[in-house]
Amino acid sequence: RYYDGRWYLICANRSTSKVKATFDLSSLKVMGLAQVAFSDKKVKVSGGKLIDTFPPLATKVYAIEGK
């Protein structure tokens, strides 16, 4: 979802296992860092991909600068 100059990616790991997820954001034409909401963590967006690890049953919201 796009709002106020940022893309927001809302994600959930429905598994009871830890997972490594890769999100293809190439169609959004964003680069740089994605801020993980409600934390100090930032994840690099490189080559149109965001890669992160999710603990079991975790949710995350990423805010990514873009147009």
Side-chain angles (χ1 to χ4, degrees):
R1 175 160 179 110
Y2 186 78
Y3 177 75
D4 200 25
R6 291 183 176 180
W7 286 100
Y8 291 88
L9 180 62
I10 302 165
C11 312
N13 176 9
R14 298 178 4 178
S15 168
T16 55
S17 301
K18 177 179 168 181
V19 297
K20 182 177 181 180
T22 300
F23 300 97
D24 184 349
L25 307 177
S26 57
S27 65
L28 303 180
K29 301 197 179 8
V30 294
M31 295 297 286
L33 296 174
Q35 175 69 50
V36 181
F38 315 112
S39 81
D40 294 328
K41 182 177 179 181
K42 292 183 181 182
V43 179
K44 186 175 182 180
V45 178
S46 180
K49 299 199 183 311
L50 183 153
I51 301 171
D52 201 1
T53 302
F54 286 73
L57 305 172
T59 58
K60 293 184 184 182
V61 177
Y62 301 93
I64 310 159
E65 297 286 333
K67 294 182 179 185

